[in-house]
Each structure stands twice: as C-alpha cells, then as structure tokens.
Amino acid sequence: MEQENKRSKWLHVRLTFKEYKRIQKAYGETVQDSLSDYARKLLLKKPVIGKYRDTGMQELLAELTALRRDLHGIATNYNQLVKKLNSSAGNELEVHLPLGKNLQQEIGVSLESVNRFISQTAAKWLQS
C-alpha cells in the first residue's frame, strides 16, 4: 500500500530560460509549497489555488497603522505632560495646563477619526 503513495519516478523536462521564468512566475502566484507540487497538479489537471490580495484588508491595515502611530505620539506627549505636572511647583502649573487642554483636544480629534473609520469600515463590510 505504501509503495503506491511513494513517488519514485522522475519526469525530466527541458525548458528555455523564458519558459522557466514564466513557470516560476506562475508558481509564485500560487499557495503551493513547492515547484514539484505545482507542476504535478498542472500535469494531472488538478486545481491550483492562487494567491489573492484583499485590497480592503490592505487599506484597513494601512489606516490602523497610521492611527496607532498617531495615538502612540499622543500618549507619549500625555505621559510627558503628566510627569511635568507631578514635578511642577505651583506657578509652573499655569504653563502646563494649557498644554493639557491642547492634548485633550488632540485626543478628541483622534478618537473621532477612529470612530469615523470604524463606522465607514463597518458600513463597507455590511454591504459586501
């Protein structure tokens, strides 16, 4: 029984450089583990699963990356401000409090952006 499943026969095929490059390119556009598996499936007329790029997911990841970067920057500024406030004397608080108000507005704008993006993404998702 094991002998039937063991691949012991070789098939040698000569190709031109252009043919080889075309096959390599086509193989690269699939999810096959090896060129041998890819060629075997083609020769035996079995289905070959191609790779595909989900552009919606790509856009989602790009937007989430940008949002994460923005929120990280705001969080860093917030931590620095809190550290200054904790180590400040009474008269320095008046200098740092307006910075805190500006930071609070930035956080509000960023959260609105996140909520808007989530709403748009959810609407697109529900349409498909």
Side-chain angles (χ1 to χ4, degrees), residues 2-10 37 40 46:
E2 271 186 46
Q3 289 290 21
E4 290 178 23
N5 292 332
K6 185 177 178 186
R7 292 189 173 100
S8 60
K9 301 296 179 195
W10 283 80
D37 288 338
R40 193 176 303 109
K46 292 185 178 181

Side-chain angles (χ1 to χ4, degrees), residues 91-116:
N91 59 353
E92 291 181 15
L93 286 176
E94 294 173 10
V95 174
H96 296 303
L97 284 178
L99 294 174
K101 296 278 187 196
N102 289 341
L103 199 51
Q104 184 179 13
Q105 289 174 345
E106 278 187 55
I107 291 170
V109 169
S110 289
L111 288 176
E112 285 177 26
S113 175
V114 169
N115 285 331
R116 186 173 38 255

Side-chain angles (χ1 to χ4, degrees), residues 50-96:
K51 292 180 186 175
Y52 66 94
R53 186 175 297 265
D54 185 355
T55 56
M57 184 60 73
Q58 199 171 8
E59 291 168 6
L60 175 68
L61 289 174
E63 186 68 26
L64 288 174
T65 301
L67 289 171
R68 180 178 58 187
R69 185 183 58 246
D70 292 346
L71 289 174
H72 178 72
I74 291 170
T76 300
N77 291 344
Y78 180 76
N79 286 337
Q80 290 172 352
L81 180 64
V82 168
K83 188 175 181 179
K84 286 178 185 178
L85 286 173
N86 286 332
S87 64
S88 297
N91 59 353
E92 291 181 15
L93 286 176
E94 294 173 10
V95 174
H96 296 303

Side-chain angles (χ1 to χ4, degrees), residues 18-31:
K18 285 183 181 180
E19 291 170 334
Y20 182 74
K21 284 296 183 189
R22 281 183 59 197
I23 291 172
Q24 283 288 346
K25 183 179 182 220
Y27 161 63
E29 295 172 354
T30 68
V31 296

